[in-house]
Amino acid sequence: MDDTSGEKEDPTVASTSEFAEQEESAGSDDETPSMGSETSSKGLLNRRNCLKAGAAMLAAGSSAFVGGAAAATERYGIQFSTVVDAVDDLGLDPNGNDPIDSTLEDALASGDTLVEFPAGTYYFDGQLDFGSPDNWGIRGLGSSPSDVRFVTTPGEGRYLTKTNGGSGQLVENVTFDYSAEDDGGLGIVLRGEDKIRVQDVEFVGFNPVHADGSKINVVPMALDPNGRAVIDGLVRTGPTDIVSHGHLDGNSNDSCIWLGDRHEGELVIRNSHIENTGTNAVYASRTSGTVHYENCLFRNNNQTSIRIGGGDGNQNTIQNCTFVVDTENADPDNGGEFINPHGVVCETNETTPGPIRIEDCEFMYKSGPDRGRLLFADGNAGPIEIVNSRFRSENSEVEPIFARGEPRWWKAAPDQSIDIRKSQFSGSGEVTVNDRPATMQSGCISSPVSGVDVDESVSRDSCTIPDTDAPAESTEEEETESDTTTTTLTNELTVTGTGTKTNYEFAVGGQLEATDDVEAWDEVSESSVNGWITSEGVADTYQFSGPLQRIEFLEGEAKVSVNGQQIDPATLSTSGEFPSTLQIPGNGSTKNYRVSVTGEIADHPALGTSLSEYDTISDGTLEGWATDEMDAIQFSGSVESIELLEGDGSMYLNGKQIDPATYDPATEQTDEETDEQTDKETDEQTDESTDDATKLPNTITIDGDGAGATTYSFSVSGDVVRSDKLSSGTGSTTIDSLTDSTSDGTVNGYISQGVDGYRYSGEITSLSINGDASVSISDNDG
């Protein structure tokens, strides 16, 4: 362990010595690549390898190619003039016995080559030495990364590649497997001008300390200022021997991803999952190039998950990422103890800091040592913008945000401002900002706070929380100032016309508001709508919260979308593959539920929040948790059971509210069949009694069609009655709400937006229209 003083350790203190150690591990940026030299690193195991062999080698009659090469191809913008099969063409051993080194080196040396690896295990006993050509790649052909594995001598640490130039480098769909022993590790160093790609790659095995052969898993540097490196779909979750930082005992852990100061382009890390690292899951803060994170999960990484802050004045971003510290539930095979796990550390050194934008992210400190923070900002980093993100620390000694103006390294950032908007902070940890400007607008904060200028638009109660089953918080002010609590309308529903006059209605379980494109004749309450739409492509748009009930068309038909996804109005489903839906609203207290169906279950892409790591789906059964946010699924087959294991409240099945405590799938199906039969019988009776086509065979309709106010009058030689079936839209405007009169074969009426319809016998003897409404007459009795 490190210091025992009880003081919180500065997460930047370890960075200088550790940065040097990791640079030495990855190979000095100034060195020429020693591709053939052995190191004490652990072996690699790849998942998807697909590469092409060079045309020049084929022309020279190289012995590397046993069979024939395939035609040219392109992957992720990298052009390969030759594609070869590692087994059929190169004769590599897929059983992990014979080393692949020399043959693979020959295949890649001239560049423009993609080598594709069939499923199997491939052994290498030294670092590949093929220079730094343009456009080379390794791709696994399996259905998942685990189908193609790269391994080395058990217990040894080794880099498969260590390039130092060239544009176009691809490692795809493979696993680097160093799980045979606890010592050793595997990694890849990819340094090139542009088009560096690590796609769907996994690292499997125990991660020891540096002295026992650990290796940085990926070093992805774009050396050209206009170049780009992408890591997409990387997974490393294996346990780690966690030790105190290198500056304390001379030893250290290695990062999963590390950038040297020669990185000048852009690095994008997305759709990746990194867990249980001993230090700095991603160390990428001290370069002039930028770094961007998208859709990543970071969990239980000691020291920090992300170091960010360089960029030479250009913006770095973290979007839609989740950071969880819950060390009590960390991998039991971890060695040592967590020291100071953080979510994000904002800092840099010897480069101009770039703005940092954190958006749509979740931060949770559930359990762990007192020396952690969710976000730490040093004085050399800034400005920092935090938008629509949620922070919660359940340890009163752990700050959701700790920021200071005094820099630990180098000099103070020119702009140290912190701008927090539409974000939420809950839990017992204090948001603390010292000696630098910080503001917060909108959103919610129920945590203690100091050093932040909190605008009056910020709620102080009922904050929602990230990825947890704890209840929403409230304060004593709620009883006296409950009217200040606001509900965010995060969902959007759009009804789009198809050219047919359509009367629709729907309701929500929360609140609802119309946008500017909704017309005056649409009736909108706090939670329901009765509206009209006609013209093709024209839309009515509403913002709402809570569960959505089924949408009904009283007349006509239209397209309905929720949050950009078209849905079936009857069931709210977005897919014919999953035709039924279930919404599970949160109500502020823990709700544990279980749903079983005869088919398959999938996340609903438009309603509710995504299912989290706390929710499990297996064999048509979902067991999940909901608190403040709503869960929503769609499924195939029929419902077998719906039950609440903890908590109470309603659910919405295909938009219909149900009580899980009394819901019986068998009874529900019978009731629906009965309702359908009753509706059919009622319609038949209505047709026979109200719209008696035999007695009153002729019809006349006056269609306002939004053309303005119209008064009308007509007389018939027989009888006339108003037809509810032919009419629609009564009360849409003031003029529509006026009462039409029918007496002794004469009708006097008013119309604007709706349709007035009548049945009559005999002939029309007079007709007067004062306005622009249209008239349609159907004479059916000759």
Side-chain angles (χ1 to χ4, degrees):
M1 291 296 294
D2 57 345
D3 63 84
T4 56
S5 64
E7 296 183 0
K8 187 169 291 188
E9 182 177 345
D10 187 334
T12 66
V13 170
S15 58
T16 298
S17 60
E18 183 178 11
F19 190 87
E21 288 178 4
Q22 298 207 31
E23 184 168 5
E24 179 182 358
S25 172
S28 170
D29 286 331
D30 294 328
E31 71 179 2
T32 56
S34 54
M35 295 298 192
S37 63
E38 294 224 9
T39 67
S40 61
S41 19
K42 216 173 191 187
L44 291 154
L45 168 65
N46 295 9
R47 167 188 117 173
R48 294 180 220 185
N49 293 354
C50 179
L51 293 160
K52 294 181 194 174
M57 293 185 65
L58 286 174
S62 169
S63 61
F65 301 99
V66 177
T73 192
E74 176 182 333
R75 295 194 70 78
Y76 310 107
I78 304 173
Q79 297 283 344
F80 303 101
S81 60
T82 307
V83 181
V84 295
D85 187 285
V87 177
D88 293 343
D89 296 330
L90 301 183
L92 300 184
D93 178 11
N95 299 312
N97 297 316
D98 298 330
I100 65 173
D101 304 42
S102 60
T103 303
L104 186 55
E105 288 172 356
D106 290 343
L108 297 175
S110 64
D112 296 320
T113 302
L114 178 63
V115 180
E116 296 183 327
F117 286 75
T121 298
Y122 298 88
Y123 168 72
F124 67 101
D125 60 6
Q127 180 180 293
L128 298 186
D129 183 3
F130 58 91
S132 299
D134 290 336
N135 301 338
W136 65 267
I138 296 171
R139 176 177 179 244
L141 296 179
S143 59
S144 71
S146 60
D147 290 340
V148 176
R149 295 177 176 267
F150 287 94
V151 299
T152 194
T153 306
E156 294 187 4
R158 183 163 289 123
Y159 288 108
L160 176 67
T161 64
K162 194 180 284 188
T163 59
N164 199 26
S167 180
Q169 304 178 32
L170 171 66
V171 179
E172 180 184 3
N173 195 33
V174 299
T175 293
F176 292 92
D177 189 344
Y178 44 94
S179 61
E181 291 188 9
D182 286 349
D183 287 348
L186 293 176
I188 49 176
V189 178
L190 306 175
R191 294 178 294 217
E193 279 69 35
D194 189 17
K195 297 180 182 178
I196 308 299
R197 187 79 178 211
V198 178
Q199 180 71 42
D200 299 327
V201 171
E202 297 182 3
F203 293 87
V204 176
F206 187 83
N207 299 280
V209 298
H210 189 70
D212 292 332
S214 73
K215 291 297 171 187
I216 303 169
N217 296 128
V218 183
V219 179
M221 295 191 200
L223 305 180
D224 189 292
N226 297 316
R228 191 168 192 248
V230 176
I231 296 176
D232 190 344
L234 181 145
V235 177
R236 179 196 134 168
T237 60
T240 297
D241 185 8
I242 302 171
V243 297
S244 57
H245 303 308
H247 73 289
L248 297 177
D249 67 357
N251 203 357
S252 67
N253 299 113
D254 280 311
S255 297
C256 175
I257 300 171
W258 178 86
L259 282 184
D261 58 10
R262 288 177 61 201
H263 172 69
E264 297 186 8
E266 176 188 57
L267 171 63
V268 177
I269 302 173
R270 62 191 180 211
N271 305 319
S272 297
H273 178 187
I274 304 176
E275 188 168 346
N276 296 314
T277 56
T279 182
N280 298 308
V282 183
Y283 200 136
S285 59
R286 301 187 171 190
T287 74
S288 59
T290 59
V291 185
H292 305 277
Y293 301 84
E294 304 168 4
N295 306 317
C296 294
L297 170 62
F298 298 93
R299 185 180 179 90
N300 290 334
N301 294 302
N302 194 50
Q303 193 167 13
T304 189
S305 290
I306 287 176
R307 296 180 86 101
I308 189 171
D312 198 21
N314 297 306
Q315 187 180 64
N316 303 278
T317 60
I318 307 173
Q319 293 184 302
N320 198 33
C321 292
T322 299
F323 301 84
V324 179
V325 178
D326 186 11
T327 61
E328 290 182 2
N329 294 297
D331 194 317
D333 292 330
N334 281 332
E337 296 182 18
F338 286 88
I339 302 166
N340 61 338
H342 288 62
V344 173
V345 169
C346 302
E347 64 89 32
T348 189
N349 194 14
E350 298 184 359
T351 187
T352 303
I356 300 169
R357 180 179 175 89
I358 300 171
E359 184 174 10
D360 297 330
C361 291
E362 308 276 0
F363 293 81
M364 166 62 80
Y365 203 106
K366 199 164 184 65
S367 67
D370 294 346
R371 291 189 288 273
R373 285 130 174 170
L374 287 173
L375 187 147
F376 172 90
D378 190 71
N380 59 33
I384 300 170
E385 186 180 15
I386 301 171
V387 182
N388 197 35
S389 297
R390 297 187 296 181
F391 294 73
R392 180 178 178 86
S393 171
E394 298 184 354
N395 182 334
S396 61
E397 300 298 319
V398 173
E399 297 97 335
I401 293 179
F402 179 85
R404 65 187 182 196
E406 183 69 21
R408 178 64 179 84
W409 301 108
W410 207 40
K411 57 186 178 182
D415 184 350
Q416 293 187 323
S417 64
I418 300 176
D419 179 16
I420 306 170
R421 304 191 307 276
K422 299 180 181 179
S423 296
Q424 310 214 20
F425 297 83
S426 63
S428 55
E430 181 180 79
V431 176
T432 304
V433 179
N434 296 327
D435 303 322
R436 62 189 296 170
T439 60
M440 181 176 180
Q441 294 182 325
S442 64
C444 177
I445 184 165
S446 58
S447 303
V449 58
S450 66
V452 180
D453 182 7
V454 181
D455 187 79
E456 62 182 10
S457 64
V458 177
S459 173
R460 294 291 185 141
D461 56 22
S462 298
C463 300
T464 61
I465 59 179
D467 291 334
T468 182
D469 53 11
E473 297 189 345
S474 61
T475 65
E476 295 179 358
E477 297 177 351
E478 185 174 3
E479 295 181 3
T480 58
E481 299 180 3
S482 59
D483 58 332
T484 63
T485 301
T486 59
T487 300
T488 302
L489 306 182
T490 57
N491 299 305
E492 181 177 271
L493 184 145
T494 302
V495 183
T496 304
T498 59
T500 301
K501 178 171 289 189
T502 300
N503 182 201
Y504 61 88
E505 65 179 17
F506 69 91
V508 301
Q511 296 182 13
L512 181 147
E513 291 181 0
T515 62
D516 293 341
D517 56 14
V518 173
E519 304 296 344
W521 54 80
D522 296 319
E523 300 174 8
V524 182
S525 72
E526 291 185 355
S527 60
S528 65
V529 172
N530 184 296
W532 290 84
I533 197 77
T534 300
S535 300
E536 184 171 1
V538 175
D540 289 349
T541 305
Y542 305 89
Q543 307 289 338
F544 71 95
S545 64
L548 174 64
Q549 300 179 27
R550 71 175 66 184
I551 298 105
E552 296 187 16
F553 294 137
L554 306 181
E555 176 185 343
E557 61 180 14
K559 295 179 181 178
V560 181
S561 297
V562 174
N563 296 326
Q565 297 272 346
Q566 187 170 340
I567 64 171
D568 179 350
T571 66
L572 313 183
S573 169
T574 65
S575 168
E577 183 180 0
F578 302 103
S580 298
T581 64
L582 182 69
Q583 301 169 80
I584 307 98
N587 57 6
S589 61
T590 301
K591 181 183 295 184
N592 183 200
Y593 61 89
R594 181 187 294 142
V595 180
S596 294
V597 302
T598 59
E600 296 182 354
I601 295 175
D603 241 335
H604 196 293
L607 293 170
T609 58
S610 298
L611 297 178
S612 72
E613 57 189 296
Y614 301 106
D615 308 315
T616 59
I617 299 177
S618 178
D619 297 330
T621 296
L622 163 65
E623 184 168 331
W625 295 82
T627 305
D628 296 286
E629 303 293 338
M630 184 177 76
D631 287 355
I633 61 172
Q634 49 190 17
F635 59 90
S636 59
S638 58
V639 175
E640 292 184 318
S641 63
I642 299 176
E643 53 187 323
L644 278 174
L645 308 178
E646 181 179 343
D648 54 23
S650 299
M651 298 185 188
Y652 290 77
L653 178 62
N654 293 330
K656 180 180 179 180
Q657 187 173 7
I658 63 169
D659 182 355
T662 59
Y663 176 77
D664 182 348
T667 303
E668 183 71 15
Q669 186 174 4
T670 301
D671 290 344
E672 289 179 357
E673 292 173 350
T674 300
D675 290 343
E676 290 178 0
Q677 180 62 29
T678 301
D679 291 343
K680 181 179 179 181
E681 293 173 355
T682 301
D683 290 342
E684 291 174 349
Q685 292 171 1
T686 300
D687 288 341
E688 291 174 359
S689 60
T690 305
D691 291 333
D692 191 338
T694 302
K695 296 180 180 179
L696 304 172
N698 305 318
T699 64
I700 180 173
T701 57
I702 300 93
D703 188 345
D705 199 25
T710 295
T711 61
Y712 61 88
S713 174
F714 69 90
S715 298
V716 300
S717 59
D719 297 324
V720 60
V721 297
R722 181 180 176 88
S723 169
D724 291 335
K725 187 174 182 180
L726 297 175
S727 302
S728 62
T730 301
S732 295
T733 68
T734 300
I735 190 124
D736 288 317
S737 65
L738 299 176
T739 303
D740 303 325
S741 66
T742 303
S743 177
D744 297 327
T746 298
V747 174
N748 294 289
Y750 312 84
I751 194 69
S752 176
Q753 294 297 330
V755 177
D756 287 351
Y758 301 85
R759 284 191 172 276
Y760 67 94
S761 60
E763 303 289 333
I764 294 178
T765 58
S766 65
L767 174 63
S768 174
I769 302 292
N770 184 18
D772 295 326
S774 60
V775 178
S776 177
I777 299 173
S778 177
D779 186 351
N780 298 314
D781 64 356

